[in-house]
Amino acid sequence: MRRAIRIARRGIGTTHPNPRVGAVVLRGGRAVGAGFHARAGDAHAEVRALEAAGATASGATLVVTLEPCAHVGRTPPCTDAILAAGIARVVIGMGDPNPLVDGRGIRVLERAGIEVVVGVLEGECRELNPAYLKHLRTGLPWVTLKAMLSLDGRLAAESGESRGLGSPAELRAAHRLRVENDAVLAGIGTVLADDPLLTVRGVPGRSPARVLLDSSLRIPGTARIWESVADAPLILATVSRDAERIREMEARGAIVWTFDPAGDGRVPLREVLRRLASEGRLALLVEGGAEVHTSFLREGLVDAVAIGIAPRIVGGRSAPVWTGDLGRPRLADAIAVERLSVRRLGPDLWLTGRIAAEGGDSV
């Protein structure tokens, strides 16, 4: 099962909206076939493993991280392939709570006389698919908030300069994080201040969709983000009803989502998340800036954090910090971060953790 989990991770960044799944065929205690689900519409992990095993699959054991499907989707049911291969025993990491599956695959296999074992390394198998599982529960994407900070918690110097704050190793980690997500989100303030591309560079993988919160459609025509609009979708989330401006943005290649304003007059974040999920974008990376970070945290929409810390003390009265008023005046009200891990990236630190259940949706 641990091998199946490792194999499943090869699908990180490519399978959305499908879950990451790995499978191994065992015969006589030896792996004779393995496979993972690479992308929606392609063969599932079980089918790939069975194809790799060939005739040796007959009478063998199939180990798979997630319950096999028994319904027709973009591909035929995996249970059909398992039965046709003559598998004698199936070991499943976790059941699939998707209403289309949810025990049906297990029942089909058991009715056919196949021995089924469920719940092997279930916790580790669940960790493969936090976005998939959260979406099934809530209809929302999994949200990771990312920031690069100085040692005193500044996003930039007092001059507004932020490029070069993180080391090259930390920048590569940030770009790998983009690969792992279906969309990356920033506010118009970040575009006006930093003029980012929000694409993947320097590491292998495709660029996710870019989502820009731009209530008044202030994005300038000279912004660098336009350069890659043909390669990575650019979604402008706005409350503007300026039809001429919207047509102009669409003519340049942007996708414009118009929402009714939230109580503060801005783009309603929860509705943006629901729209992303409805299009199969189940993992969102929020890159800021400070107002966006604060809004997501205040509304309890963050599930995980990834924070880079550079060994620099920036100081300055107006140097921006990465969060503002969260409406939590007492220490006891603070948002708790659990499962915290820390690693060195060159001279910097890279911290990742999960927002405790009170402030988000845990796996």
Side-chain angles (χ1 to χ4, degrees):
M1 186 63 75
R2 286 197 170 91
R3 180 174 178 181
I5 291 169
R6 288 195 301 271
I7 294 169
R9 292 195 182 108
R10 297 180 189 174
I12 289 176
T14 65
T15 63
H16 80 274
N18 289 358
R20 302 153 184 164
V21 184
V24 176
V25 178
L26 293 175
R27 188 176 184 87
R30 184 173 63 90
V32 294
F36 71 100
H37 182 47
R39 58 187 53 82
D42 283 4
H44 289 189
E46 303 94 316
V47 173
R48 288 188 178 277
L50 292 169
E51 288 175 348
T56 61
S58 181
T61 294
L62 174 69
V63 179
V64 61
T65 57
L66 187 68
E67 177 184 358
C69 64
H71 67 283
V72 176
R74 296 189 189 183
T75 58
C78 290
T79 51
D80 286 0
I82 294 169
L83 296 178
I87 288 288
R89 184 169 180 256
V90 177
V91 179
I92 299 170
M94 63 169 289
D96 188 344
N98 185 334
L100 294 173
V101 186
D102 200 15
R104 288 181 59 196
I106 294 170
R107 289 192 294 273
V108 167
L109 297 175
E110 288 178 333
R111 283 199 295 265
I114 294 175
E115 179 187 355
V116 179
V117 178
V118 183
V120 176
L121 297 182
E122 181 173 357
E124 294 179 40
C125 290
R126 291 182 67 84
E127 285 295 329
L128 282 172
N129 292 296
Y132 175 75
L133 296 175
K134 179 189 176 183
H135 177 248
L136 287 174
R137 287 195 318 274
T138 69
L140 299 175
W142 182 266
V143 177
T144 300
L145 191 155
K146 189 225 87 178
M148 285 190 180
L149 312 174
S150 66
L151 198 58
D152 54 338
R154 311 288 180 155
L155 284 167
E158 201 163 25
S159 66
E161 181 186 12
S162 63
R163 289 183 187 174
L165 181 61
S167 68
E170 192 172 63
L171 286 171
R172 284 193 295 274
H175 281 265
R176 283 193 292 270
L177 198 55
R178 287 179 182 173
V179 171
E180 294 174 6
N181 283 268
D182 306 325
V184 56
L185 180 147
I188 183 60
T190 294
V191 171
L192 296 176
D194 299 335
D195 199 17
L197 291 170
L198 298 178
T199 53
V200 171
R201 302 179 303 283
V203 299
R206 58 94 180 99
S207 293
R210 287 86 51 83
V211 182
L212 182 61
L213 301 179
D214 189 359
S215 295
S216 304
L217 291 179
R218 291 189 291 151
I219 181 173
T222 56
R224 294 197 306 157
I225 202 168
W226 291 111
E227 296 173 9
S228 51
V229 72
D231 303 315
L234 174 60
I235 299 169
L236 303 179
T238 186
V239 295
S240 172
R241 302 288 176 173
D242 186 337
E244 183 176 348
R245 182 66 170 158
I246 290 172
R247 284 194 296 271
E248 179 187 348
M249 298 295 97
E250 291 176 336
R252 298 201 60 167
I255 301 165
V256 180
W257 290 352
T258 302
F259 298 91
D260 292 330
D264 60 2
R266 298 183 179 183
V267 176
L269 298 182
R270 192 173 292 270
E271 294 309 309
V272 172
L273 296 184
R274 291 193 187 282
R275 181 75 178 266
L276 284 168
S278 73
E279 297 195 354
R281 303 189 187 278
L282 306 186
L284 173 67
L285 181 65
V286 175
E287 296 207 14
E291 288 188 15
V292 173
H293 291 166
T294 300
S295 296
F296 270 85
L297 287 166
R298 279 187 70 101
E299 294 190 31
L301 297 174
V302 180
D303 301 289
V305 294
I307 308 295
I309 300 179
R312 303 186 188 190
I313 299 173
V314 173
R317 291 184 179 180
S318 60
V321 295
W322 70 288
T323 61
D325 178 19
L326 298 178
R328 295 169 177 263
R330 300 180 305 160
L331 189 59
D333 300 327
I335 297 172
V337 178
E338 57 191 18
R339 305 192 217 180
L340 190 67
S341 67
V342 183
R343 60 190 173 110
R344 289 289 298 270
L345 291 175
D348 303 335
L349 296 179
W350 185 254
L351 284 70
T352 58
R354 297 283 180 83
I355 300 296
E358 181 273 336
D361 287 284
S362 56
V363 175

